Amino acid sequence: MRFVFLLILSIFVKASEISVCYVSEDYKRLDTMFGHLFLAYNNKAVSFNLNSDLNVKDNLLALFGVEGILQILPKDKLVKFYEDDKRSVECYPLNLNDSEEANLSALFYESDILDTYTFLGKNCSSALSEYAKKYDVSLKKSLIPLRFVSLNTNKKINFYKAALFYEYDGFNSSNFLITMLSLNDKLSHSLNLFSFNKSYFSPIIISEFNNFSYEFELGIRYKKARTFANFFLGYSYNGLFVGANNYGLALGFVKDFSNFGIKLSFDKSHINFNSYYDYKNYRLSLIANQNYAKIGLIYSF
């Protein structure tokens, strides 16, 4: 009965715009790896998360299912919580008609709901679609928060990459690269999943240069099914970084701008240069050291 009353009330009260808010990801923590989503209406927020203190153990158990909670919170306090955690919050209006807007606004007057949180089933992103369906609102479903934003708002984001490269490594050759999921593809902040070319397959390539910093690439070469890993672990400040990689001590400089990035690094075996320039959906990439050079054109879609 309470639900019916709230639903009727929401139809006659002029609804403000309902938005989905994306909380930026942080690749240094498991619970922030893919960011977070919540819905916002007036100064209310609807957020689905683990019903715990978000420790490492509970985040690992979330792969199989743990207790979660859908909470109705003051939006300003929730935004401040994430800003205090040094994470940015950006909100985008949902693509809803007037009727859907009125129906979904009733969700913001409900009580907290205990539910099961599953990272690969019902997480902060996919749960929003399921709860919206109870109010006769159809939101496109995705387990990836940024993809949910792209599917349900006018903020369009590219997640796939296809590239052609010209390479020189003592002799000239060509290569390609396909990436099935690319998030925030910057030199200082990126996550690329399931990439492959004619030589190897890489399930993950990740980098985060912000105070405590790291890079990691895991791959499997087709020839003899040989596994390899490249890594960097260290500290960065204002673009300058120092630490250790596969070859020992490593230091350098990395900086990303709106459509351009550059990285210069030194270790006992190499002087590495990496840069890119973005134009619309295209990226011109150059990677080189004393013995190797690769230039390519990358298309994101």
Side-chain angles (χ1 to χ4, degrees):
M1 192 69 185
R2 181 173 176 269
F3 167 76
V4 174
F5 171 75
L6 289 171
L7 190 59
I8 295 173
L9 179 65
S10 68
I11 294 173
F12 291 98
V13 176
K14 188 179 187 316
S16 297
E17 208 166 41
I18 299 178
S19 299
V20 59
C21 298
Y22 177 72
V23 183
S24 64
E25 66 291 326
D26 184 341
Y27 298 142
K28 291 180 288 190
R29 289 161 46 190
L30 185 63
D31 61 295
T32 62
M33 190 69 71
F34 289 92
H36 180 66
L37 286 184
F38 63 86
L39 297 180
Y41 171 69
N42 291 333
N43 192 36
K44 293 179 177 287
V46 172
S47 177
F48 183 66
N49 215 329
L50 277 69
N51 190 23
S52 72
D53 59 359
L54 303 180
N55 55 60
V56 174
K57 177 184 175 182
D58 286 338
N59 276 278
L60 290 173
L61 290 175
L63 292 171
F64 311 100
V66 295
E67 186 177 76
I69 184 169
L70 183 80
Q71 292 179 290
I72 316 302
L73 303 163
K75 178 189 173 184
D76 54 354
K77 291 184 179 179
L78 187 60
V79 170
K80 186 177 186 306
F81 169 80
Y82 287 117
E83 288 178 344
D84 289 345
D85 196 33
K86 298 182 179 178
R87 299 170 68 190
S88 62
V89 178
E90 294 186 49
C91 298
Y92 309 93
L94 288 171
N95 292 331
L96 302 174
N97 59 40
D98 290 343
S99 176
E100 291 172 325
E101 194 102 26
N103 288 348
L104 190 56
S105 66
L107 173 62
F108 293 82
Y109 296 93
E110 290 291 340
S111 301
D112 293 352
I113 302 172
L114 292 177
D115 206 338
T116 299
Y117 183 105
T118 309
F119 182 73
L120 297 177
K122 193 172 187 178
N123 63 8
C124 68
S125 177
S126 61
L128 297 182
S129 299
E130 295 188 26
Y131 285 111
K133 192 178 296 184
K134 296 178 180 179
Y135 296 84
D136 295 321
V137 177
S138 179
L139 295 177
K140 295 177 181 178
K141 189 175 181 180
S142 176
L143 288 169
I144 302 170
L146 271 177
R147 181 159 174 75
F148 180 97
V149 171
S150 185
L151 290 172
N152 293 289
T153 74
N154 291 329
K155 173 71 174 178
K156 299 308 174 187
I157 305 166
N158 298 317
F159 297 95
Y160 314 104
K161 292 193 305 185
L164 290 174
F165 289 98
Y166 166 80
E167 299 177 321
Y168 178 78
D169 189 9
F171 58 91
N172 299 328
S173 64
S174 61
N175 206 340
F176 68 90
L177 178 71
I178 303 293
T179 299
M180 303 306 296
L181 180 58
S182 179
L183 300 173
N184 301 294
D185 194 18
K186 300 292 187 179
L187 294 175
S188 61
H189 181 72
S190 67
L191 175 61
N192 291 284
L193 300 176
F194 312 119
S195 302
F196 63 93
N197 61 20
K198 67 181 183 181
S199 302
Y200 67 87
F201 166 75
S202 174
I204 183 169
I205 305 171
I206 188 169
S207 68
E208 182 75 285
F209 285 84
N210 180 18
N211 297 330
F212 168 73
S213 303
Y214 75 97
E215 283 183 313
F216 180 72
E217 176 184 13
L218 178 66
I220 303 172
R221 300 192 188 279
Y222 305 138
K223 191 174 182 180
K224 298 182 180 179
R226 186 160 58 93
T227 302
F228 69 90
N230 297 314
F231 78 92
F232 167 82
L233 184 64
Y235 186 85
S236 66
Y237 180 75
N238 286 343
L240 296 171
F241 62 86
V242 61
N245 64 11
N246 298 55
Y247 303 97
L249 179 66
L251 55 91
F253 175 80
V254 59
K255 184 70 174 179
D256 289 293
F257 301 91
S258 59
N259 65 338
F260 172 73
I262 185 172
K263 179 183 176 185
L264 185 63
S265 62
F266 306 85
D267 57 50
K268 71 176 185 179
S269 300
H270 304 97
I271 301 175
N272 297 297
F273 177 80
N274 191 344
S275 68
Y276 68 86
Y277 176 78
D278 290 336
Y279 178 73
K280 294 184 178 179
N281 288 12
Y282 296 92
R283 169 173 289 190
L284 182 64
S285 172
L286 174 63
I287 301 172
N289 60 31
Q290 310 96 302
N291 307 311
Y292 173 79
K294 179 170 77 171
I295 186 170
L297 184 65
I298 304 169
Y299 179 70
S300 299
F301 59 99

